[in-house]
Amino acid sequence: MAKHSDPNSKLIAENRQARYHYAVEDTLEAGIVLQGSEVKSMRVGQTNIAESYASVEDAELWLINSYIASLNQATHFGHEERRKRKLLVSKRELARLWNATQREGMTIVPLKMYFNEKGIAKVLVGIAKGKKQADKRETEAKRDWNRQKQRLLKQNY
């Protein structure tokens, strides 16, 4: 029997360039504090996290420079499109993120924003190191070789 996809779970935004620019070592799922008009805008799909990053400030995790478009219907109680949004993680995870950014020189990069199966907005953040140009070329060459390999295998069978 085929599984039906849950109507509540939905990918909202994906930072596709993050894995190209950064070597992601670990990922973490975090909740996000939103206003009502932001949730409605996210359900329509007017969100972008390509230029955003996360930062630990005052013992809290913040998503900075993420874009959620304002709705025309939400005239009285609208929201700022690029405001700082609080991410919800446990104290242990927050300490680990702070340790990675302050001591090890890592960066916290949002990878995906989605609604989980319960319909709650979540952000998948990655603890990453920036890649140098040579690393980017190596990744691209490896990806091209895998594509070529798949083509050759497909032609032979």
Side-chain angles (χ1 to χ4, degrees):
M1 212 168 155
K3 285 188 177 180
H4 296 287
S5 64
D6 191 359
N8 292 331
S9 63
K10 176 185 172 186
L11 181 67
I12 303 164
E14 185 174 12
N15 189 354
R16 296 181 61 175
Q17 289 289 316
R19 295 201 188 266
Y20 177 74
H21 292 295
Y22 298 98
V24 179
E25 294 187 3
D26 194 17
T27 59
L28 171 71
E29 183 181 65
I32 184 168
V33 177
L34 298 169
Q35 297 175 349
S37 59
E38 291 175 328
V39 175
K40 290 179 182 181
S41 182
M42 287 169 66
R43 292 230 182 255
V44 177
Q46 300 174 340
T47 306
N48 187 2
I49 58 170
E51 301 160 356
S52 62
Y53 62 96
S55 175
V56 178
E57 298 173 4
D58 301 326
E60 293 178 337
L61 185 62
W62 295 92
L63 182 64
I64 301 168
N65 202 26
S66 63
Y67 175 78
I68 300 176
S70 60
L71 284 176
N72 293 336
Q73 293 86 356
T75 55
H76 298 295
F77 302 105
H79 64 273
E80 288 183 43
E81 294 175 340
R82 292 201 180 266
R83 72 178 181 89
K84 284 174 42 172
R85 293 170 178 88
K86 185 176 177 181
L87 295 178
L88 304 172
V89 294
S90 69
K91 288 182 181 181
R92 178 181 288 169
E93 292 168 340
L94 185 67
R96 189 171 58 102
L97 291 171
W98 183 87
N99 193 19
T101 55
Q102 297 299 318
R103 293 186 181 165
E104 300 170 19
M106 308 283 266
T107 306
I108 306 170
V109 181
L111 302 172
K112 291 180 185 178
M113 186 179 285
Y114 57 93
F115 288 111
N116 68 359
E117 60 277 348
K118 294 181 181 179
I120 299 171
K122 298 286 184 177
V123 178
L124 183 70
V125 294
I127 303 168
K129 272 190 179 174
K131 285 185 182 177
K132 303 244 187 289
Q133 190 64 34
D135 296 334
K136 292 178 186 178
R137 283 193 293 266
E138 180 182 323
T139 303
E140 197 168 324
K142 197 178 294 183
R143 186 180 64 228
D144 289 343
W145 167 243
N146 286 335
R147 279 190 200 143
Q148 185 68 24
K149 192 167 50 173
Q150 289 300 322
R151 284 189 199 120
L152 291 172
L153 288 173
K154 192 175 183 181
Q155 287 174 357
N156 290 340
Y157 291 106

